[in-house]
Amino acid sequence: MDRGAVLISFFERILRDPRISATHISVYSVLFSLWQSSGTDTISITSHQVMAMAKISTGNTYHRCIRDLAAFGYIIYEPSYNRFVGSKVRLVEIESEGA
């Protein structure tokens, strides 16, 4: 998967998606950064790690954004429900509407 294309397709899509807020963009940017540096398709994350990097102070906001991004088709999210095991996230390359 072309990592640059994933980021470009995200920004192209959010221009037409009124559901996406600045907080969603912040969380997605952190996920992209972690994914970019991991070199793997699926990353393991913790809420505390992402919240600190995205400058989010409440767990409710974090969880809402993660669930929204998954529901809206931007990521695939597999929560672990175990504080010692990170949740799994995979970023989705969104096909452009013109393709």
Side-chain angles (χ1 to χ4, degrees):
M1 181 179 333
D2 180 0
R3 291 175 187 266
V6 170
L7 188 61
I8 291 168
S9 68
F10 171 75
F11 281 107
E12 287 175 348
R13 183 169 171 199
I14 66 169
L15 288 172
R16 299 179 306 276
D17 192 343
R19 304 169 296 182
I20 298 297
S21 69
T23 309
H24 291 99
I25 296 168
S26 179
V27 169
Y28 187 90
S29 296
V30 169
L31 296 175
F32 182 83
S33 176
L34 294 170
W35 178 65
Q36 183 75 10
S37 63
S38 76
T40 62
D41 286 342
T42 302
I43 57 172
S44 178
I45 62 165
T46 65
S47 58
H48 296 294
Q49 171 191 37
V50 175
M51 286 172 60
M53 294 175 72
K55 307 297 185 197
I56 296 173
S57 58
T58 65
N60 287 340
T61 300
Y62 163 78
H63 286 99
R64 179 183 49 81
C65 284
I66 286 287
R67 283 192 307 268
D68 286 352
L69 288 170
F72 301 160
Y74 293 98
I75 64 172
I76 297 169
Y77 175 62
E78 298 174 28
S80 72
Y81 303 109
N82 181 333
R83 57 188 260 183
F84 301 109
V85 178
S87 296
K88 304 292 184 213
V89 173
R90 183 178 181 123
L91 277 64
V92 175
E93 183 174 354
I94 299 119
E95 295 292 325
S96 64
E97 291 180 2

